[in-house]
Amino acid sequence: MATEVKLPDEAQGVENITVNRWLVKAGDTVKSGDPLLEVATEKVDTQIQSPADGVVLQINFGEGDLVPPNAILALVGLPDEAKVAVPARAPEEPEHTEVKDARVAPLPSDGSEKPQPDGQGPAPAAEGEPKATPVARRVAEQEGIPLNEVKGSGLGGQVTKEDVLQYAEQHKHAGEAPSPGGEEPSPAAAEQDEELKDIASLPVGRLAAEYSINLRQLAGDRPLRSLTVEDVLSAVESRRSGKPVKVQPRRPAQPAPVQQAAQEPTRQAPAPAPAPTPAAPQPQVAPPARQPQAAAPAPRADLQPGEEFVPHTRMRSLIARNTVQAAFSIPHVTTWWDVNMSAVLEHRRANKSEFAIGGVNLTVTAYLVQAVITALKAVPAANSTWTDEGVIIKRYYNIGVAVALPADPKSGLGGLIVPIIKNADNLSLVGVARAVNDLAQRARASNLKADELQGGTFTITNYGTSGSRFQTPVIAGNEAGILGVGAIEKRAVVLSNGHPLDPNVGDSLVFLPVLTLGFSYDHRILDGATADGFCAKVKEALEGWK
């Protein structure tokens, strides 16, 4: 039996999951663990691996498609399993579809469509509602199409996605879709429709944001609700090629017999007599249409000589949104502390080779994580979240470690991601170092799980690795502070045998490895003295390391 390719368990409860790109196509031979596709959420891009050896029998979502967390993305199995009908997509609306048995049935030998056993066919619609597949309901809702106006071509008159798309195409230039039942809409409904006319649909809005398309400019005199995904793709392609381009709506190709049973039935013209059905061929699924790349767009009309337009990546847009929201909603204050790193560097020199034998690169960041945990336990308010009703103190320690991603060599634009070390207080120094190494490597390879970017309680950003001495980091929206770490450098430091501020013949000038901590904190939660108390504990832990 074919093996279903699904999202990992960590994706449950995550919204707005999008297929970024497929790394294979239907018919490719894969092994267990091979990457099949990349998916994106608002926090992370990650690869989905093959759960078994075999052939990619079927691909159910195209690039750019939104998918529910329980979706069946593809099927992997043996070539002869192409004759087995499997559900193409997981139910998207459990309230309308109730599956009792996930087992599959072979196709009829004559290729005809027959009712499935109990629990395998489409669930009956609620009384008074037209029968429709979950995908058809979603498409109809997005396009504002009344399902009872659509003639179904599926089993028992069920409305399929193809029926909805065909109905939408037929009424594209009609100005407005007829109201259900031919009745005039009520004044309240008419007023609501008028308000919704100037709101773009969710897929259109997401695509426009990804490619920096001005929907108001694109719509012109038309309402925003009338814009389609193809309109946005046309604008992107036109900008890239420097001339007007019209992207035609994507319609699924006529499926092979295996797909007709696995997916929704396709509307067909009546024939005088049924023709003999040939044997089922090898699975042939049209590869998903790639969305136009925005890496090299044509110059915009408003650019001046010497200027170049670089569209925002999804990561850059998310960084902008999160940092602006944090900067304008959290009162930031930053305190600076110098720390003598002699003890840490001596300990690292003595143990680095031993850690390396175990495959662990002992970095300064591992020491910082453990010192921060010590300070958070001493000053619990620094490990908290602000709410309008009160402060939530957290007695667990999920430490985020910011990782810089490689910058684009042409534009110089890079990225930043913050994986989380969960329950870091339960790890030894070697455990923390191993976790830091693993998360940083997988972050740069876009191979993090969604769960590894959620649930942080405090963040460390070590900008000293790029040579910076001072920065003022921006706090994550649900945390009380973020600790910035500057570069370690030799500095001249005065040592005194007497009072540190009075002249003394015993004063001496020494050169020590020093770094500067920049602690940005939420002034609604922490005051200056409390924030400095936290930094003092970090300094004490680092300078007294044994």
Side-chain angles (χ1 to χ4, degrees), residues 140-331:
E141 182 179 355
Q142 291 175 351
E143 299 294 335
I145 295 174
L147 280 175
N148 57 355
E149 293 289 327
V150 182
K151 185 178 179 180
S153 64
L155 296 175
Q158 185 183 42
V159 177
T160 69
K161 180 180 72 173
E162 282 298 304
D163 299 330
V164 177
L165 293 175
Q166 187 172 11
Y167 179 93
E169 189 69 21
Q170 291 173 352
H171 293 77
K172 185 174 182 180
H173 303 293
E176 58 180 7
S179 59
E183 299 177 0
E184 290 294 328
S186 64
E191 182 179 354
Q192 184 180 21
D193 289 344
E194 188 65 27
E195 293 177 355
L196 292 176
K197 284 173 61 178
D198 223 29
I199 300 178
S201 65
L202 178 60
V204 169
R206 283 175 55 85
L207 191 61
E210 181 176 355
Y211 288 105
S212 301
I213 296 297
N214 187 326
L215 289 180
R216 173 58 60 193
Q217 182 179 359
L218 179 62
D221 296 333
R222 299 161 53 195
L224 293 183
R225 193 68 180 180
S226 67
L227 293 176
T228 65
V229 169
E230 285 74 25
D231 292 330
V232 179
L233 293 177
S234 298
V236 175
E237 189 66 13
S238 299
R239 184 175 64 190
R240 185 189 67 81
S241 62
K243 61 182 180 180
V245 175
K246 179 64 177 177
V247 176
Q248 297 299 323
R250 286 190 299 171
R251 297 288 184 265
Q254 184 72 11
V258 60
Q259 295 172 340
Q260 284 188 332
Q263 301 177 358
E264 301 165 350
T266 305
R267 180 187 296 274
Q268 298 182 3
T277 303
Q282 294 296 327
Q284 294 180 355
V285 180
R290 288 187 175 273
Q291 295 186 1
Q293 300 295 320
R300 289 172 29 152
D302 57 346
L303 292 181
Q304 300 298 320
E307 296 179 341
E308 177 188 2
F309 174 74
V310 180
H312 295 312
T313 61
R314 192 177 60 85
M315 175 175 288
R316 181 53 50 190
S317 296
L318 289 172
I319 292 173
R321 184 189 68 184
N322 294 337
T323 52
V324 168
Q325 181 179 0
F328 281 90
S329 62
I330 300 175

Side-chain angles (χ1 to χ4, degrees), residues 5-21:
V5 178
K6 291 188 174 183
L7 295 167
D9 294 338
E10 293 82 1
Q12 301 303 317
V14 179
E15 297 181 354
N16 295 333
I17 303 171
T18 306
V19 176
N20 257 1
R21 65 183 178 124

Side-chain angles (χ1 to χ4, degrees), residues 26-63:
D28 285 355
T29 300
V30 296
K31 294 185 177 295
S32 178
D34 285 352
L36 300 181
L37 72 155
E38 291 180 355
V39 297
T41 68
E42 288 196 352
K43 289 183 174 290
V44 65
D45 293 353
T46 188
Q47 291 183 348
I48 305 299
Q49 299 176 344
S50 176
D53 296 347
V55 174
V56 180
L57 300 176
Q58 183 172 302
I59 290 177
N60 297 327
F61 293 87
E63 295 181 356

Side-chain angles (χ1 to χ4, degrees), residues 1-2 4 58 72 75 81 84-89 104-105 258 261-263:
M1 180 176 176
E4 299 171 349
Q58 183 172 302
I72 300 173
L75 296 173
E81 289 178 318
V84 177
V86 292
R89 302 191 184 197
V104 298
V258 60
Q263 301 177 358

Side-chain angles (χ1 to χ4, degrees), residues 526-540:
L526 300 175
D527 300 315
T530 315
D532 285 339
F534 168 81
C535 290
K537 289 296 182 180
V538 175
K539 177 182 174 74
E540 178 183 323

